[in-house]
């Protein structure tokens, strides 16, 4: 007979779940929720914050006092209600005049450093092609670009922290880029390297989780209930988040959808959506990138930026870069448009599967075609309507990124701001201490 007692836990010194969560729940429920309500509704009266958060007016006054002491919120110049009724009636808002966060995003071919204010607005960004793929040298060069950006654009504001985002598997607790196959990186201790180089507190996370967090904080509000974010760039990956938690997985591997089989056969053959009848479209191989995993028809090898450029070249549309291909499509070049519509259909297949798997309130697609070309978004939603068993309303359930055009500049900063909004009273060395 099977024992009904709980299985004995094997002691393992590396168990990550034994590490306490970075965000104490009580703190988030108090000052964090007040900070969030001020972000959403400011300038807002304390009494309204009390109503929004369910906290008592006295406790809201206490939390606001701590946020004021840290310089994270300020009393607004606007007045609410009749004059002369005292401080509680002066509304409060996020103070964007004192602090910024820095962001860094590492893509396959280039990196972006940025500055962001506490409302998530990009203040400045700088994109540079990689000059090396050695992780320590690349991180050192990233760090070296920050002071120039700050000197030119911070306007006297202090940088609180640096957030780093990149694709594939990132462990935010350990501060390590676990695996980035396209860069050839494994177990890169990015947080330690960058904090030593910049002197700033550094937070690292995957770009998909960072962008999901950015949506929850500053973008699409329906993502706060539950969301899947699908990132389609040079890297293809995803994130799954609910109201209180971002699912990461014990190996930081949640959302590894690069090799999701699409059933295209990888040859542009019969299973291919969005065929236009162009001769190049159905040619054997069709310009498809052979996948690094050795199989055909993986999501990433079909829709990545590199695959798009190769497929364009196979059709006689030679472009220097993915950006140029996008510009051609936005200008209406028919072959470029057809390539983005094909991509939208294939991304729609993956989106349908993710919708069925997680049934999120909303699925956010980070892909510039769907973000900027209405016909691509329509194609993507049509594919979802055709294939998903669960999603009945693709118009509502599938949305483009709120940060189209500034996705990479947003991702890094969102890692730092996500940490700040989760724990505004935490150890932020640039902020005055609170009791
Ligand atoms: Zn593959």
């Amino acid at each position: 007979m099977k024992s009904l007692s709980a299985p004995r836990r094997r002691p393992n010194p590396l168990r990550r779940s034994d590490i306490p969560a970075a965000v104490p729940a009580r703190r988030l429920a108090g000052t964090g929720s007040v900070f969030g309500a001020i972000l959403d509704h400011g300038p807002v009266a304390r009494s309204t914050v009390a109503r929004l958060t369910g906290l008592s007016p006295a406790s809201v006054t206490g939390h606001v006092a701590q946020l004021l002491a840290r310089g994270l919120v300020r009393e607004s110049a606007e007045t609410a209600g009749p004059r002369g009724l005292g401080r509680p009636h002066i509304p409060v808002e996020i103070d964007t005049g004192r602090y910024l966060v820095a962001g860094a995003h590492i893509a396959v071919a280039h990196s972006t450093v940025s500055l962001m204010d506490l409302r998530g607005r990009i203040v400045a960004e700088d994109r540079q092609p990689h000059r090396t793929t050695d992780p320590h040298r690349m991180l050192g060069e990233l760090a070296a670009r920050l002071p120039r950006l700050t000197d030119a654009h911070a306007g006297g504001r202090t940088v609180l922290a640096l957030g780093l985002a990149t694709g594939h598997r990132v462990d935010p607790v350990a501060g390590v880029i676990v695996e980035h196959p396209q860069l050839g990186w494994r177990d890169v201790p990015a947080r330690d390297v960058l904090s030593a180089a910049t002197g700033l507190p550094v937070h690292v996370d995957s770009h998909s989780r960072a962008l999901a967090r950015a949506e929850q904080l500053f973008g699409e509000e329906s993502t706060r209930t539950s969301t899947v974010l699908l990132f389609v760039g040079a890297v293809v990956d995803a994130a799954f988040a609910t109201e209180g938690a971002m699912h990461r997985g014990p190996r930081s591997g949640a959302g590894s959808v690069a090799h999701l089989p699409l059933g295209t056969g990888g040859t542009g053959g019969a299973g291919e959506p969005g065929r236009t009848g162009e001769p190049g479209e159905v040619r054997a191989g069709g310009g498809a990138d052979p996948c690094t995993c050795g199989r055909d028809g993986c999501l990433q090898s079909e829709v990545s930026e590199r695959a798009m450029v190769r497929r364009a070249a196979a059709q006689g549309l030679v472009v220097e870069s993915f950006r140029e291909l996008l510009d051609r499509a936005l200008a209406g070049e028919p072959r470029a448009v057809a390539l983005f519509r094909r991509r939208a259909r294939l991304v729609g297949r993956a989106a349908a599967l993710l919708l069925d798997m997680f049934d999120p309130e909303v699925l956010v697609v980070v892909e510039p075609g769907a973000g900027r070309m209405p016909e691509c978004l329509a194609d993507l939603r049509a594919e979802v309507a055709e294939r998903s068993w669960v999603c009945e309303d693709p118009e509502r359930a599938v949305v483009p990124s709120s940060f189209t055009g500034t996705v990479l500049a947003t991702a890094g900063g969102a890692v730092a701001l996500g940490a700040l909004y989760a724990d505004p009273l935490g150890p932020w060395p640039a902020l005055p201490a609170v009791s």
Side-chain angles (χ1 to χ4, degrees):
M1 193 178 153
K2 274 186 180 173
S3 163
L4 292 176
S5 62
R8 226 177 113 239
R9 280 170 110 196
R10 272 180 300 167
N12 178 346
L14 297 179
R15 272 177 57 89
R16 295 224 168 97
S17 56
D18 291 341
I19 299 168
V23 183
R26 262 178 59 202
R27 182 173 278 171
L28 184 59
T31 317
S33 68
V34 169
F35 198 21
I38 296 170
L39 172 67
D40 286 346
H41 301 280
V44 60
R46 290 167 179 79
S47 53
T48 309
V49 174
R51 188 166 48 74
L52 289 164
T53 57
L55 296 166
S56 72
S59 123
V60 167
T61 299
H63 291 305
V64 169
Q66 291 194 302
L67 293 168
L68 282 167
R70 297 216 102 179
L72 296 172
V73 305
R74 65 189 168 206
E75 293 190 320
S76 168
E78 276 182 44
T79 54
R83 285 170 171 274
L85 287 178
R87 289 166 59 86
H89 293 272
I90 300 171
V92 287
E93 63 187 3
I94 301 298
D95 190 343
T96 52
R98 297 194 200 196
Y99 302 109
L100 298 171
V101 294
H105 179 270
I106 298 173
V108 172
H110 53 78
S111 61
T112 304
V113 292
S114 59
L115 296 174
M116 194 185 246
D117 76 13
L118 299 194
R119 297 190 62 83
R121 291 176 299 212
I122 306 294
V123 172
E125 69 171 285
D126 166 46
R127 180 184 293 195
Q128 300 284 341
H130 294 326
R131 295 192 298 176
T132 171
T133 54
D134 175 79
H136 289 263
R137 281 181 54 203
M138 193 192 291
L139 292 169
E141 288 181 8
L142 269 182
R145 282 154 62 191
L146 269 181
R148 201 178 48 205
L149 202 67
T150 308
D151 288 349
H153 301 283
R157 289 171 283 186
T158 302
V159 174
L160 281 181
L162 168 64
L164 172 73
T166 189
H168 298 291
R169 286 165 57 196
V170 181
D171 181 343
V173 177
V176 166
I177 298 170
V178 178
E179 188 179 34
H180 195 307
Q182 285 146 299
L183 291 172
W185 290 11
R186 261 200 98 92
D187 296 324
V188 175
R191 180 172 62 205
D192 291 350
V193 173
L194 284 173
S195 58
T198 62
L200 291 168
V202 176
H203 299 265
V204 307
D205 210 340
S206 88
H207 58 199
S208 287
R209 286 194 295 268
L211 289 165
R213 190 78 185 106
E215 294 287 352
Q216 293 179 323
L217 283 170
F218 317 109
E220 173 63 44
E221 270 188 37
S222 61
T223 58
R224 294 177 187 182
T225 318
S226 57
T227 190
V228 169
L229 181 137
L230 179 55
F231 184 100
V232 181
V235 166
V236 178
D237 54 22
F240 175 55
T242 58
E243 196 169 5
M246 193 72 66
H247 180 65
R248 175 164 56 90
R251 289 158 289 275
S252 305
S256 298
V257 296
H259 302 285
L260 198 72
L262 288 175
T264 57
T267 60
E272 175 152 344
R275 282 165 64 191
T276 60
E278 298 260 353
E281 191 73 16
V282 292
R283 191 183 299 159
D289 216 1
C291 190
T292 49
C293 74
R295 284 189 290 265
D296 279 338
C298 294
L299 177 60
Q300 184 169 277
S301 66
E302 287 288 320
V303 303
S304 72
E305 292 179 356
R306 182 164 172 232
M308 291 284 282
V309 170
R310 281 175 65 119
R311 190 169 280 271
Q315 297 183 16
L317 179 61
V318 178
V319 290
E320 292 265 314
S321 65
F322 176 80
R323 262 193 169 185
E324 188 187 335
L325 185 61
L326 177 62
D327 287 342
R328 297 271 191 103
L330 291 170
E333 208 284 335
R335 285 171 300 179
V337 171
L339 283 168
F340 275 93
R341 295 189 67 169
R342 174 187 181 275
R343 188 192 215 196
R345 281 274 177 181
L346 291 170
V347 171
R349 287 189 187 186
L353 192 70
L354 292 168
L355 285 161
D356 289 352
M357 196 179 286
F358 295 102
D359 190 19
E361 186 71 25
V362 66
L363 183 141
V364 178
V365 177
V366 183
E367 194 277 318
R372 298 173 73 175
M373 290 185 269
E375 65 269 41
C376 288
L377 184 59
D379 285 348
L380 200 162
R381 285 171 167 161
E383 193 75 13
V384 166
E386 221 169 273
R387 288 178 179 262
S388 170
W389 293 89
V390 168
C391 175
E392 287 170 349
D393 185 3
E395 295 281 325
R396 191 192 53 75
V398 179
V399 299
S401 168
S402 305
F403 309 102
T404 300
T406 56
V407 162
L408 303 185
T410 299
V415 177
L417 283 184
L420 180 68
Y421 277 93
D423 192 12
L425 301 186
W428 299 92
L431 295 178
V434 285
S435 50

